[in-house]
Amino acid sequence: MTPLSISRAWEETTTFVARETRLIVPLALALIALPAVIFGLAAPDVTNEVAARSPGLMALMLAEFLIGAVGQLAIARLALGHRERLGEAIRHGAARLPALVGGFLVVGLPLGFVLTLVVGAAAVVGKAGAGAGKAGAALILLAVMTALFVAMLIIFARCLLMLPLASVEAGGPLRLIKRSFAVSRGAVLRLLAAAALFLVGGVVILIAVRSVVGALVIVALGKPEAWTVSALLIALVDGAMQALIGTVFTIFTARLYAQRSGEAGPETGVPSSAT
């Protein structure tokens, strides 16, 4: 299997973005930025925990995730050289969404269950009295948590290419998982490094921009409340940044997948005239 080159994937990403700006910007704005703006306007500064207790906000959050995933599937497909109109790419992304979500659920639910058990065990150990028994239990629990953390990192790396894979390959959730593990074999550390550099950098930029804009908006218009101008301005910035980071990361992972699978190179990408 072709060795993974992060620098090559990044060069192909920047080339594709520069060449196909008119093609990917409408996708990113309509399917990634707009849902994020709507959620931010309806629920500024609402945490996931608070949203989980509100059926309406939870529905908005789920819709934002699903619509954004369709957009990312369409963008990945275009970045892998499939010559088709935007509408066709979006329809294909919507058709592949159930398989992608199913694949992540098959992997994520068991991990979430194990994590819940470990957190519960940690709470029990924390409430136990002092003594050698508690110290021994704490050491065992620490070892289990460390092993679980390492396992989660490895599984994350092995599933990192599942989205671009789902955008161009057929099959249900189990086949996606199998193929994702196959194309990531022998490249776990490189995939983890690429994801860490990209995601950490993106989060830092997002927080920095939001902090500056948020401070200016609060000074000018007051604290953002749902459906207010201040909430709209902050949501617009958040949506634009999420679209930018999400789009570039999607194209980047698509080009990583292309190296491992032999998919179309950047020279076969969709021409800018496609609509």
Side-chain angles (χ1 to χ4, degrees):
M1 190 172 288
T2 305
L4 197 66
S5 172
I6 295 175
S7 60
R8 175 186 164 191
W10 179 247
E11 290 173 3
E12 292 174 353
T13 298
T14 56
T15 298
F16 181 82
V17 170
R19 189 181 68 232
E20 309 295 353
T21 300
R22 290 186 299 173
L23 183 67
I24 60 178
V25 166
L27 269 175
L29 291 179
L31 299 181
I32 300 177
L34 182 58
V37 169
I38 293 174
F39 181 80
L41 183 58
D45 295 325
V46 172
T47 63
N48 291 342
E49 292 78 8
V50 173
R53 295 194 294 267
S54 169
L57 292 182
M58 194 63 190
L60 271 179
M61 182 180 292
L62 180 61
E64 177 189 355
F65 167 77
L66 294 177
I67 295 171
V70 171
Q72 288 180 292
L73 284 165
I75 290 169
R77 186 170 177 83
L78 297 177
L80 288 168
H82 286 254
R83 297 173 179 268
E84 57 195 15
R85 296 180 180 273
L86 292 183
E88 294 172 350
I90 294 171
R91 283 193 292 272
H92 188 273
R96 297 299 295 146
L97 181 63
L100 178 66
V101 173
F104 282 127
L105 288 177
V106 169
V107 173
L109 289 179
L111 286 177
F113 177 72
V114 174
L115 182 61
T116 300
L117 291 179
V118 172
V119 171
V124 172
V125 171
K127 293 179 180 178
K134 179 180 179 179
L139 288 175
I140 294 174
L141 184 60
L142 179 61
V144 171
M145 293 180 70
T146 302
L148 179 61
F149 177 72
V150 172
M152 291 178 69
L153 285 179
I154 293 173
I155 293 174
F156 170 76
R158 301 301 293 269
C159 294
L160 186 64
L161 305 181
M162 194 183 297
L163 188 146
L165 190 155
S167 72
V168 293
E169 295 192 22
L174 296 181
R175 186 181 186 279
L176 290 185
I177 295 170
K178 182 179 178 180
R179 283 286 296 137
S180 184
F181 273 59
V183 296
S184 62
R185 185 179 297 117
V188 170
L189 292 180
R190 283 181 176 271
L191 288 171
L192 279 177
L197 289 173
F198 207 105
L199 294 178
V200 170
V203 169
V204 169
I205 293 173
L206 180 61
I207 292 175
V209 172
R210 194 185 193 283
S211 298
V212 173
V213 173
L216 292 175
V217 168
I218 290 174
V219 170
L221 300 173
K223 185 178 179 180
E225 302 289 344
W227 309 109
T228 61
V229 175
S230 56
L232 175 61
L233 293 176
I234 293 175
L236 286 172
V237 173
D238 279 351
M241 293 302 299
Q242 289 182 41
L244 174 63
I245 295 169
T247 298
V248 176
F249 185 68
T250 298
I251 297 169
F252 179 65
T253 55
R255 298 316 310 164
L256 290 174
Y257 163 76
Q259 292 181 31
R260 302 292 287 180
S261 66
E263 271 287 333
E267 69 278 2
T268 64
V270 180
S272 297
S273 59
T275 56

